[in-house]
Amino acid sequence: MENLLSFWRKGSVRSLTYQWGLVVVIICGMFWVYDIATTNMARLGLKTGFDFLTDEAGFPISPALIDYSPRSTYIEAMIVTLLNTIFLSLIAIILATILGFFIAMFKLSPNLLLRKFGNGYVEVFRNVPLLLQLFFWYFAALKMLPMKRSSISFFDVAFLNIEGFFIPLPVLEGGAEFVAWALLIATLISAIIWAWAKHRQKNTGQPFPSLILGAGLIILLPLLVAWALDFPVTWEVPKFGRFNFKGGTALEPEFTAMVFGLTLYNAAFVGEIIRAGIQSVDKGQKEAAGSIGFTNMQTYSQVIVPQAMRFIIPPVTNQYLSLAKSTALAGAIGYADFFWAMDGAIAPQTGQVMELQAITLAGYLGISLFIAMLMAIYNHMTRIPER
Amino acid sequence: MEPILAPFKMPQPAPYQSKGLLGWLRANFFSSWFNSLITLLLVYIIFNLANFLIHWAFINAVWFGDSAKSCPNSNGACWAFVTDRWHLFVYGLYPNELYWRVNIVYVLAALTIISFLYSYGRWTKYFRITMVIIFPITAYIFLVGDTFDLKYVAPEEFGGLLLTLVIASIAILGSIPLGLILALGRTSELKVISKVCTYFIEFWRGVPHIVIIVMFVALLPIFIPDGAGIDVVVRAFIAFAAFNSAYMAEVFRGGLQSIPIGQFEASRAIGMSYWKMMGYIILPQAIRNSIPALMNTCIMIFKETTIVMLIGFSDLLGIIQLSLESSDWVGPPHIFSSAYVFAALIYFSFTFGMSKYSLRLENRSNVDY
Amino acid sequence: MSEKPVILFDKVNKWFGDFHVLRDIDLKVAKGERIVICGPSGSGKSTMIRCINRLEEHQQGTIVVDGVELTDDLKHIDHIRSEVGMVFQSFNLFPHMTVLDNLVIGQHLVRRMPKMEAEEVAMTYLERVKITDQAGKYPGQLSGGQQQRVAIARSLCMKPKIMLFDEVTSALDPEMVKEVLDVMIDLAEEGMTMLVVTHEMGFARTVADRVMFMDEGQIIEENTPDDFFDNPASERAQNFIGQVLHHL
């Protein structure tokens, strides 16, 4: 008895028992659940198996970035909607970051009104649920746009109305490849100039306005080539026929509403994160940079922003992740995203909830893991060695 | 050397340009050309915005009516929609004659909130603990009924603000203890427990919440022996508590990690066991440190209740949307926008109130010790 | 004073809101002079020297540094800042750059020196402060005393005409104070114009030409170090020295 008790009191024995105990419980639990599941499924008469994936989908999807028709398979439906989700997320992430940056600048501005405006923006857009904001854009705001006949016209080349934003599509004629080549060459030359300028500055200390020069080149060179070749790139401008627009392409209101809603909502969070990150940098850094004679620009680009990024990147990545997940709400306003396809379109047709759930989970987990991996790489690359 | 002495001078008041109203104005609004320009532009914008809002929300608004025809003009808000249907928004589909039960619960809820808002001297602690205990119990009894001669009301008939508050409350109350346990598990020194908890937490955080809710609603009948018997709404409650526990776990983990390691070492040095150390020393401090992030998560949960709309439940937003599409009220978009503004105001008052309370807690607990 | 003063304060007043932090300050510093400024906390010592490189703005009076008057003109400010070096109590090294980069970046971007040349200059100053072996390390890997010496070297790399020291040893462990003071003594012996805000009386006696005692925003008393510490004339100075010597 004595020996047994002292054996149990050993820390290692206890910890091993708990851990192995947990493993055993989990495995048993999995078996038990599997057993119940199969019994229930047999009882409810649910099919299993993944063969349904190659069946015909039978429903349309719009927008579709790759070829799709109701005769395509379920797998293709899943891929198209997954692409829609990713595309929407990317656009919203970029726009929300840009807008969030401006909101952060407002909140850091010396102007009191601008600061209050920034604060107000964040309070309003952070505190109202995202779904409500999406509904507002889709059912209220965008529905107040005029009918097709009386579209709001932008210089007679783009038209905004209740059925979407009709924009021109570029049409590539004969000499168009040359313009594309010109763009490519201009970009290359700009990159070379930038590298050369950096090298030169390193060796002589003289700065060179490579950014402005590069930007100018990228814009002007293709334009020059296009002019020389008599503008081989034309635009197919939407023209209103009897009932509809011909030519060009249209951004659907579902997509527009999602972009508006996601951007404005997430910009509030991103703006707050950026502002907090910049303010987290020690005040002394700004003073030290000033005391060596750095201009404001140099202080921000060399000292403050690199340090602020450390505070900004982790929470902002979280926010991007949350944005990507919130695209699942798109089905509520009719945008064809991945979740809508899985739950709203395919599930009612095939009834194979288990498999569909598994694929849905895998899809979103994949996106999350990808973003988390990117952040881990960034963290590793920018770590500062400490004692 | 002979010392150079200066006679002592009294402090002078600051010159008027650098302090007081003028100084404040100059610093905040007109500190540079660019700044002044922006000030003028913003004043112009704000003035026009205020003008528009006052006209839209008050002067041109329609306050009473019973159908979409009551609001033909789009230059004024259609508050008639709200005044006509407000009982649906507040009570959902709860039977009319039993509203008094919901009212009692609302009053008790208000009392509970008030008990936490102010200090009442010696009795504060007892007041709060009493409310926290009796409120959930009486709420359940009165809302669902089926005891004490009260008629049974199925959770499916909850709706509107009632359903929103019930989901939020159950989600918060359910996820906090679960989250605490998960956080302790994740920070445990036992590798297996730590890894299992980590994967568990990251799983819930990696998937959209609506997917999880659909998963629970659809799959619970398959995985639980009598799963089909559980009310659909209850399945949603369980789902909410489950995935929010992952966020709560992260909040508590942050709180735990903010405790200096010296606290752990001192407790162990006295000879405390793991659970004694946690219970008496670590957790009280960790929970206090977690309060700001905790409130943030509560706000997030409250806003998230809207997603139950996608599975057909009529929370506040859901029932508003249903009413907007009902035959009486279906109409031009400005009615929709009035309704959404109203909904936004309701949500905003709750979430804004919560964040202000959270700020107050933070400031107070900074002074405490 | 035989030549023009290199720093001139004329009736300088500053307020923080309603608080009159600098009252009618008159100050003349000649080239090569070493001045120690001491006094109780809150007396405005740091504020005064921070006005010299415009980290603080004064509301009344004139400040002239190296012949240039300090006003709102940005070009003047940037120019003055590169001629006036400052070392801070909390070092303020750039944590995301190596020690060498900390010293190089100012020269490279502000003085437009080629990197190679800047690195050579940096190494010479690192030698002066005796830390050449840490050149590739990051500030977080150094001790407090080492970081402060690097901070001094960083300011010196800009070849300033004036060096300002704001309580540079107050945040250091006692055993590291000496290494930093030694560097400052070397600097003084080479003829650098220095304004040092410090509590280190021994340093003042060794190196200072003048000691200024500040209290409540004014320079109450000014004297040579020995005369000041042995015979403080004003009552406030006597109180102050009594309290400070207490633990020396």
Side-chain angles (χ1 to χ4, degrees):
Chain A
M1 203 53 195
E2 262 297 309
N3 285 335
L4 208 61
L5 270 179
S6 61
F7 183 67
W8 176 245
R9 286 210 197 95
K10 276 180 79 156
S12 49
V13 173
R14 294 255 283 273
S15 79
L16 277 178
T17 329
Y18 288 147
Q19 297 189 64
W20 280 113
L22 184 66
V23 172
V24 166
V25 162
I26 291 183
I27 296 188
C28 284
M30 294 207 312
F31 272 116
W32 180 64
V33 161
Y34 181 74
D35 186 46
I36 297 188
T38 38
T39 347
N40 275 340
M41 285 181 74
R43 183 166 62 86
L44 294 170
L46 293 171
K47 283 193 303 139
T48 56
F50 284 93
D51 339 296
F52 72 96
L53 283 177
T54 43
D55 289 344
E56 206 177 272
F59 56 86
I61 296 182
S62 139
L65 291 169
I66 59 178
D67 275 327
Y68 175 85
S69 81
R71 303 182 65 93
S72 314
T73 62
Y74 281 128
I75 292 197
E76 288 173 325
M78 293 182 196
I79 296 182
V80 169
T81 49
L82 192 58
L83 281 176
N84 279 348
T85 297
I86 296 180
F87 180 61
L88 177 65
S89 307
L90 272 176
I91 300 231
I93 286 179
I94 295 176
L95 291 177
T97 309
I98 298 178
L99 181 59
F101 173 75
F102 279 105
I103 301 285
M105 291 299 108
F106 288 175
K107 291 187 87 166
L108 292 171
S109 143
N111 189 316
L112 183 72
L113 276 183
L114 217 53
R115 283 205 302 270
K116 290 285 178 205
F117 179 75
N119 285 337
Y121 178 91
V122 169
E123 288 302 320
V124 166
F125 283 93
R126 268 206 313 192
N127 283 319
V128 176
L130 175 61
L131 193 59
L132 176 50
Q133 294 188 37
L134 289 175
F135 276 14
F136 175 80
W137 291 111
Y138 186 66
F139 290 112
L142 288 183
K143 288 254 189 295
M144 295 210 216
L145 289 172
M147 301 292 288
K148 278 215 244 243
R149 290 174 192 292
S150 15
S151 307
I152 305 177
S153 135
F154 291 90
F155 309 109
D156 256 352
V157 290
F159 301 91
L160 189 61
N161 59 54
I162 200 173
E163 290 185 41
F165 191 29
F166 290 82
I167 56 177
L169 210 52
V171 167
L172 305 161
E173 291 169 12
E177 321 94 68
F178 291 108
V179 180
W181 279 114
L183 188 65
L184 200 64
I185 294 179
T187 316
L188 252 124
I189 297 185
S190 299
I192 296 180
I193 291 184
W194 182 77
W196 167 82
K198 270 249 163 295
H199 185 77
R200 176 174 172 261
Q201 184 175 30
K202 193 161 160 253
N203 285 340
T204 68
Q206 299 300 316
F208 192 79
S210 54
L211 213 68
I212 305 179
L213 210 73
L217 205 67
I218 292 182
I219 297 181
L220 287 178
L221 193 64
L223 230 71
L224 224 70
V225 171
W227 175 75
L229 293 174
D230 219 10
F231 287 109
V233 180
T234 56
W235 295 90
E236 194 181 282
V237 172
K239 281 224 169 353
F240 194 59
R242 280 174 59 100
F243 294 110
N244 206 342
F245 281 97
K246 271 199 200 197
T249 184
L251 293 175
E252 302 182 332
E254 289 80 17
F255 178 74
T256 321
M258 285 303 291
V259 170
F260 265 80
L262 285 175
T263 303
L264 291 171
Y265 180 72
N266 283 289
F269 291 90
V270 172
E272 196 42 35
I273 293 173
I274 294 182
R275 177 203 63 83
I278 293 192
Q279 286 188 327
S280 300
V281 178
D282 195 41
K283 262 185 73 181
Q285 291 290 305
K286 209 166 165 195
E287 296 186 342
S291 73
I292 330 182
F294 273 1
T295 63
N296 239 357
M297 267 295 285
Q298 289 170 327
T299 307
Y300 270 95
S301 66
Q302 296 290 324
V303 176
I304 306 230
V305 168
Q307 295 186 60
M309 290 303 260
R310 261 161 252 284
F311 294 118
I312 293 179
I313 298 286
V316 99
T317 316
N318 239 350
Q319 194 60 38
Y320 290 164
L321 194 61
S322 163
L323 191 159
K325 291 193 299 175
S326 65
T327 57
L329 297 176
I333 60 169
Y335 181 74
D337 80 302
F338 185 59
F339 179 64
W340 166 85
M342 302 302 290
D343 185 63
I346 304 185
Q349 279 186 254
T350 65
Q352 304 212 235
V353 275
M354 287 281 291
E355 290 79 4
L356 289 172
Q357 284 297 322
I359 301 178
T360 317
L361 287 177
Y364 282 107
L365 272 177
I367 298 181
S368 308
L369 280 175
F370 179 67
I371 296 183
M373 198 181 63
L374 285 179
M375 175 162 84
I377 295 181
Y378 177 84
N379 257 347
H380 184 79
M381 282 190 350
T382 56
R383 68 197 190 296
I384 316 181
E386 300 237 340
R387 268 168 164 276
Chain B
M1 197 181 106
E2 274 304 304
I4 303 178
L5 291 169
F8 187 70
K9 298 173 198 152
M10 294 304 288
Q12 301 295 311
Y16 79 95
Q17 298 112 327
S18 74
K19 70 148 186 177
L21 186 62
L22 214 63
W24 178 79
L25 277 178
R26 279 181 87 215
N28 282 313
F29 297 104
F30 301 105
S31 63
S32 71
W33 283 118
F34 190 58
N35 217 348
S36 314
L37 213 67
I38 302 236
T39 303
L40 292 173
L41 188 69
L42 280 177
V43 166
Y44 176 73
I45 293 180
I46 292 180
F47 186 70
N48 277 328
L49 207 65
N51 200 16
F52 169 73
L53 275 175
I54 295 181
H55 277 89
W56 182 82
F58 294 104
I59 302 183
N60 294 337
V62 177
W63 293 87
F64 297 101
D66 60 357
S67 79
K69 300 198 241 327
S70 322
C71 299
N73 281 331
S74 63
N75 62 346
C78 190
W79 300 135
F81 177 73
V82 176
T83 50
D84 185 45
R85 295 280 171 124
W86 69 274
H87 55 277
L88 269 181
F89 301 158
V90 172
Y91 297 104
L93 300 162
Y94 213 81
N96 272 19
E97 66 275 12
L98 298 173
Y99 275 4
W100 59 275
R101 284 162 48 175
V102 183
N103 290 336
I104 294 185
V105 176
Y106 271 135
V107 165
L108 281 177
L111 271 177
T112 317
I113 294 180
I114 293 180
S115 79
F116 277 91
L117 272 183
Y118 300 106
S119 208
Y120 303 96
R122 237 176 5 119
W123 301 107
T124 316
K125 207 160 139 196
Y126 299 109
F127 186 17
R128 291 178 184 177
I129 296 187
T130 336
M131 291 314 298
V132 167
I133 296 186
I134 66 173
F135 174 63
I137 302 180
T138 29
Y140 179 76
I141 295 180
F142 275 97
L143 284 178
V144 178
D146 216 21
T147 57
F148 296 139
D149 265 353
L150 294 169
K151 195 155 99 82
Y152 173 70
V153 179
E156 286 172 326
E157 302 190 39
F158 294 179
L161 188 61
L162 179 64
L163 183 62
T164 299
L165 290 173
V166 168
I167 297 181
S169 315
I170 295 186
I172 294 175
L173 291 174
S175 60
I176 287 184
L178 266 174
L180 195 55
I181 297 177
L182 278 175
L184 287 176
R186 185 167 184 175
T187 53
S188 161
E189 287 169 343
L190 304 177
K191 293 274 177 54
V192 168
I193 297 186
S194 160
K195 274 213 152 54
V196 165
C197 288
T198 308
Y199 289 142
F200 191 72
I201 293 175
E202 292 304 322
F203 171 77
W204 293 126
R205 284 179 66 195
V207 184
H209 304 157
I210 185 62
V211 171
I212 298 178
I213 297 184
V214 162
M215 201 171 74
F216 267 74
V217 167
L219 296 185
L220 224 55
I222 300 184
F223 283 107
I224 305 264
D226 190 26
I230 304 183
D231 203 14
V232 175
V233 184
V234 176
R235 287 183 225 165
F237 292 165
I238 300 178
F240 254 91
F243 68 75
N244 278 312
S245 64
Y247 293 91
M248 290 297 182
E250 287 301 279
V251 165
F252 288 127
R253 182 168 78 107
L256 279 170
Q257 286 181 331
S258 69
I259 309 282
I261 193 164
Q263 297 288 307
F264 293 87
E265 295 179 340
S267 320
R268 290 299 206 170
I270 311 183
M272 287 192 177
S273 70
Y274 178 80
W275 291 107
K276 281 213 175 61
M277 169 178 75
M278 283 299 174
Y280 287 101
I281 310 291
I282 306 294
L283 282 182
Q285 297 185 57
I287 294 183
R288 196 182 232 133
N289 290 351
S290 311
I291 291 190
L294 196 89
M295 287 302 294
N296 237 357
T297 312
C298 290
I299 295 176
M300 188 187 82
I301 294 180
F302 185 79
K303 288 189 303 171
E304 284 254 298
T305 55
T306 50
I307 65 179
V308 294
M309 251 207 73
L310 270 81
I311 37 177
F313 294 171
S314 314
D315 72 314
L316 179 61
L317 184 59
I319 213 155
I320 289 182
Q321 187 73 4
L322 270 180
S323 305
L324 280 171
E325 293 168 358
S326 71
S327 49
D328 268 350
W329 279 102
V330 71
H334 67 269
I335 302 186
F336 281 80
S337 51
S338 311
Y340 292 146
V341 168
F342 166 72
L345 283 171
I346 304 276
Y347 280 107
F348 186 82
S349 34
F350 276 95
T351 50
F352 192 67
M354 282 197 268
S355 56
K356 281 294 169 229
Y357 182 64
S358 153
L359 274 176
R360 189 160 36 126
L361 276 184
E362 251 187 275
N363 289 339
R364 241 199 294 152
S365 68
N366 278 342
V367 176
D368 261 356
Y369 62 67
Chain C
M1 214 138 294
S2 46
E3 9 168 306
K4 257 180 86 173
V6 88
I7 299 179
L8 175 70
F9 274 52
D10 185 27
K11 294 209 181 6
V12 172
N13 279 288
K14 181 176 169 59
W15 287 264
F16 280 136
D18 273 333
F19 176 56
H20 197 172
V21 64
L22 291 179
R23 304 182 198 174
D24 262 5
I25 303 268
D26 288 316
L27 175 69
K28 288 200 185 77
V29 178
K31 184 156 180 269
E33 258 200 289
R34 286 100 55 171
I35 313 244
V36 162
I37 306 169
C38 64
S41 42
S43 53
K45 330 187 278 289
S46 289
T47 312
M48 185 176 79
I49 65 169
R50 284 156 66 93
C51 284
I52 298 179
N53 66 354
R54 202 72 176 169
L55 285 180
E56 302 282 355
E57 286 178 21
H58 60 284
Q59 274 102 22
Q60 275 179 9
T62 328
I63 302 183
V64 181
V65 176
D66 197 27
V68 177
E69 185 181 339
L70 283 179
T71 58
D72 276 333
D73 194 334
L74 281 179
K75 255 180 52 187
H76 281 171
I77 296 179
D78 282 341
H79 169 78
I80 294 217
R81 284 189 178 162
S82 55
E83 303 289 338
V84 175
M86 184 156 195
V87 185
F88 301 85
Q89 183 175 357
S90 49
F91 333 138
N92 288 337
L93 293 180
F94 303 137
H96 56 298
M97 302 182 193
T98 60
V99 163
L100 191 63
D101 282 335
N102 262 276
L103 270 64
V104 160
I105 189 106
Q107 306 177 65
H108 185 51
L109 291 182
V110 179
R111 297 235 189 265
R112 303 192 173 179
M113 286 172 70
K115 269 217 173 134
M116 297 282 282
E117 216 179 295
E119 281 178 12
E120 279 172 30
V121 174
M123 288 307 281
T124 32
Y125 282 108
L126 282 180
E127 237 182 273
R128 289 263 307 263
V129 300
K130 306 185 180 64
I131 308 193
T132 45
D133 49 327
Q134 311 283 1
K137 296 248 178 86
Y138 284 86
Q141 297 173 295
L142 303 182
S143 75
Q146 291 170 322
Q147 287 190 50
Q148 194 62 295
R149 287 187 276 147
V150 171
I152 297 179
R154 179 176 66 174
S155 297
L156 290 176
C157 280
M158 302 300 288
K159 309 257 174 64
K161 299 209 175 92
I162 305 169
M163 283 288 279
L164 306 173
F165 294 85
D166 191 356
E167 306 223 28
V168 299
T169 52
S170 304
L172 295 177
D173 294 332
E175 67 270 17
M176 298 196 240
V177 170
K178 180 173 185 306
E179 64 193 56
V180 174
L181 289 181
D182 283 342
V183 168
M184 291 165 69
I185 294 177
D186 278 341
L187 207 55
E189 280 168 6
E190 288 174 15
M192 171 71 76
T193 315
M194 294 164 65
L195 270 82
V196 183
V197 173
T198 185
H199 300 301
E200 298 289 333
M201 305 303 156
F203 172 79
R205 284 194 194 248
T206 317
V207 144
D209 294 319
R210 280 191 278 164
V211 169
M212 294 184 185
F213 173 73
M214 273 185 82
D215 193 10
E216 291 197 43
Q218 294 180 251
I219 303 179
I220 306 273
E221 188 174 333
E222 205 184 298
N223 211 336
T224 54
D226 290 326
D227 285 339
F228 176 73
F229 289 121
D230 293 335
N231 278 323
S234 63
E235 194 187 316
R236 292 168 185 253
Q238 288 164 7
N239 284 342
F240 177 69
I241 294 193
Q243 285 168 344
V244 172
L245 278 183
H246 188 63
H247 76 95
L248 264 183

